Amino acid sequence: MPERRTVALVTLGCARNEVDSEELAGRLEADGWQLVEDAADADVAVVNTCGFVDAAKKDSVDALLEANDLKGHGRTQAVVAVGCMAERYGKELAEALPEADGVLGFDDYADISDRLQTILSGGSHLAHTPRDRRKLLPISPAERQESAAAVALPGHGPTDLPEGVAPASGPRAPLRRRLDGSPVASVKLASGCDRRCTFCAIPSFRGSFISRRPSDVLNETRWLAEQGVKEIMLVSENNTSYGKDLGDIRLLESLLPELAEVDGIERVRVSYLQPAEMRPGLIDVLTSTPKVAPYFDLSFQHSAPDVLRAMRRFGDTDRFLELLDTIRSKAPEAGVRSNFIVGFPGETASDLAELERFLNGARLDAIGVFGYSDEEGTEAATYDNKLHEDVVAERLARVSRLAEELVSQRAEERVGETVHVLVESVDEEGVYGRAAHQAPETDGQVLLTSGEGLSVGRMVEAKVVGTEGVDLVAEPLQGAFGSSEEAGR
């Protein structure tokens, strides 16, 4: 009998990384590895890193060093870096962080078991030399699907695998293994991005935009439902582009109703929407389809025209407000969240005031604010008209204070609303879940005033009776436990 091998996956960063980790887990379990939760109980600790901004990179390095500290004090024998930071820096990361026994890029994912076994046995695997992954697929989106099989696309694992390859496998089993018991799971809709925002390096290490086949998305969703998942969140770098490389830019509009009809799924959520690519048909589907959350994760980034042009983005305050008015005319209770960058090179006091005008009029449910900092390899890093870091810090603090006040006000507007809450935790601290306007980890949560008879995964109809900042307090309505045809609404 082969020696028992254990592995723990530590995931940092966004929901896309979580999907990638579960694909790696599926591959490893299929090859006989035993998955454990705690890195201290694993022969190999695999850290799925984030390489987006400096703070995320620091968190990734800290996680690798923390895992390395386990060596010699327990079972852990090796620490391996995967994910965006490993892909982006490759050999450079390996040289700067000798504590990592391996730095594996996306091209190593298909052979992850062999790579870990080599490292665990005392061997080494040469860290890759980073390359611009945008060049791996044809420039024309229409030609990409034919080339996709030759390119590593994390989270695009095949479905319809043979019996026994994935847990509870059957005719719809994907190359994926769930790492927690949450009733919510993300599903990769696509990978990469064709936009060229001057502050963002993601396309260079995630590659050009490429969609997954609708059948794969549907099969994976059905499998997740069989695992007890009640809500799926569609993730990619840009969901509004879905289908453009499959010959149908409106493919998302037809896919969403099919996903909502999957037996066991109570809510479908779409994240990462580009304001410049929003179209009437997509708004209609998102606001009128039962079980599809009227939720709009819109990447505004700013609203001053000059700043947006410098970012290579489009729009302005009035156009953005008009878009929000259109959404709310169809679904008054729709949830909207966005992120913003302040202190971008060349941002003037009047630009900042324009952003504040937009925020005051937008009534957003959740707002993320970030101070600009140079990202190597981006066009903005070469700009001359950068603001002093003290100015950026002051503007960040100023807009963050405004954002906190505004989202609290927006939460108070929801008092009296009826919401459908997916229960996610039940313990001595209370019963918590999320309503349709709240995505996991980013948009606040709902505290239910009564938890009698409730369990994780139940959909509860409740009335909002109070707020705690961005969070809501809601009272379950009599006879409201269980699923509802309108659960996503």
Side-chain angles (χ1 to χ4, degrees):
M1 184 174 181
E3 184 179 354
R4 173 172 168 263
R5 303 172 297 174
T6 57
V7 59
L9 285 132
V10 180
T11 306
L12 295 94
C14 64
R16 300 184 294 274
N17 255 16
E18 294 171 5
V19 176
D20 295 350
S21 285
E22 293 197 349
E23 181 188 300
L24 290 174
R27 290 182 182 278
L28 289 166
E29 188 169 70
D31 203 44
W33 290 78
Q34 180 179 344
L35 299 164
V36 296
E37 291 186 13
D38 193 336
D41 298 329
D43 296 316
V44 184
V46 177
V47 180
N48 192 347
T49 61
C50 179
F52 182 35
V53 293
D54 287 342
K57 296 174 197 172
K58 182 181 183 304
D59 288 344
S60 296
V61 171
D62 289 346
L64 287 163
L65 293 175
E66 183 178 341
N68 181 70
D69 289 342
L70 297 172
K71 291 191 293 187
H73 300 285
R75 187 180 181 96
T76 309
Q77 300 175 53
V79 176
V80 175
V82 299
C84 291
M85 190 175 180
E87 173 64 36
R88 184 176 182 183
Y89 296 104
K91 288 182 178 179
E92 183 182 344
L93 177 61
E95 293 169 358
L97 198 70
E99 291 85 353
D101 299 287
V103 176
L104 306 181
F106 297 152
D107 292 336
D108 292 306
Y109 282 21
D111 300 310
I112 187 67
S113 179
D114 289 343
R115 299 287 186 265
L116 296 192
Q117 184 59 57
T118 296
I119 294 168
L120 184 60
S121 301
S124 62
H125 179 72
L126 186 66
H128 73 106
T129 300
R131 53 181 172 169
D132 188 340
R133 296 190 73 86
R134 291 172 294 190
K135 299 178 180 179
L136 301 182
L137 291 168
I139 294 176
S140 170
E143 299 174 3
R144 290 177 189 166
Q145 290 290 330
E146 294 181 4
S147 306
V151 177
L153 297 169
H156 286 230
T159 58
D160 297 318
L161 296 176
E163 184 73 26
V165 172
S169 62
R172 294 185 294 273
L175 190 58
R176 178 172 182 173
R177 200 273 200 184
R178 298 220 65 207
L179 293 174
D180 60 40
S182 171
V184 183
S186 295
V187 176
K188 273 275 184 82
L189 195 61
S191 288
C193 185
D194 288 342
R195 302 187 72 87
R196 295 296 177 261
C197 301
T198 59
F199 56 83
C200 183
I202 290 176
S204 66
F205 57 86
R206 277 289 184 178
S208 298
F209 185 89
I210 185 162
S211 305
R212 292 183 73 193
R213 295 280 178 179
S215 58
D216 284 343
V217 178
L218 275 165
N219 284 343
E220 187 163 336
T221 298
R222 293 182 181 117
W223 179 81
L224 287 167
E226 292 168 359
Q227 309 304 302
V229 169
K230 300 299 180 183
E231 175 181 323
I232 62 163
M233 184 167 72
L234 301 178
V235 299
S236 76
E237 279 72 22
N238 178 10
N239 281 333
T240 34
S241 283
Y242 180 69
K244 72 175 186 179
D245 52 320
L246 294 171
D248 184 2
I249 191 59
R250 294 175 176 80
L251 193 55
L252 184 55
E253 285 93 307
S254 58
L255 177 61
L256 284 171
E258 293 186 70
L259 293 171
E261 291 175 0
V262 171
D263 188 31
I265 295 298
E266 298 287 353
R267 180 184 289 155
V268 178
R269 185 183 304 277
V270 184
S271 61
Y272 306 111
L273 300 170
Q274 283 289 341
E277 297 181 29
M278 290 301 294
R279 47 196 180 267
L282 180 56
I283 294 174
D284 287 343
V285 171
L286 287 170
T287 55
S288 65
T289 308
K291 295 189 179 183
V292 173
Y295 175 80
F296 294 81
D297 176 11
L298 293 163
S299 177
F300 289 120
Q301 301 298 347
H302 213 284
S303 72
D306 289 345
V307 176
L308 287 168
R309 301 306 174 268
M311 292 177 170
R312 293 200 190 283
R313 296 176 69 84
F314 307 94
D316 56 45
T317 295
D318 293 331
R319 275 190 275 182
F320 290 163
L321 291 176
E322 182 180 347
L323 171 60
L324 295 178
D325 286 344
T326 299
I327 290 169
R328 289 175 176 138
S329 70
K330 298 176 181 294
E333 298 176 2
V336 187
R337 81 166 323 275
S338 192
N339 292 326
F340 299 89
I341 298 173
V342 296
F344 193 80
E347 181 190 65
T348 65
S350 60
D351 291 330
L352 189 68
E354 184 69 0
L355 173 58
E356 291 173 327
R357 181 170 80 89
F358 171 69
L359 292 174
N360 276 294
R363 297 169 56 231
L364 302 177
D365 291 279
I367 301 171
V369 187
F370 301 89
Y372 173 82
S373 62
D374 284 341
E375 270 296 303
E376 58 188 290
T378 63
E379 184 178 343
T382 69
Y383 288 176
D384 295 326
N385 51 348
K386 295 190 177 73
L387 306 184
H388 191 278
E389 61 181 19
D390 289 343
V391 175
V392 176
E394 186 278 328
R395 293 183 178 185
L396 174 61
R398 171 177 160 179
V399 177
S400 295
R401 286 193 299 269
L402 174 62
E404 184 175 356
E405 177 183 343
L406 291 173
V407 296
S408 295
Q409 290 176 5
R410 178 63 181 134
E412 290 171 1
E413 292 178 14
R414 291 192 179 275
V415 173
E417 284 186 8
T418 297
V419 293
H420 289 87
V421 180
L422 178 63
V423 177
E424 293 186 325
S425 68
V426 179
D427 54 34
E428 63 277 1
E429 296 182 2
V431 178
Y432 288 89
R434 290 177 301 99
H437 70 280
Q438 297 168 317
E441 299 183 4
T442 60
D443 301 343
Q445 58 187 352
V446 179
L447 168 63
L448 293 172
T449 59
S450 172
E452 185 178 355
L454 293 182
S455 58
V456 172
R458 296 291 293 274
M459 189 71 78
V460 180
E461 188 177 37
K463 181 179 181 180
V464 180
V465 296
T467 66
E468 295 178 358
V470 69
D471 297 331
L472 304 180
V473 179
E475 179 180 318
L477 299 177
Q478 187 174 7
F481 300 165
S483 63
S484 166
E485 187 182 47
E486 297 294 316
R489 299 293 307 284

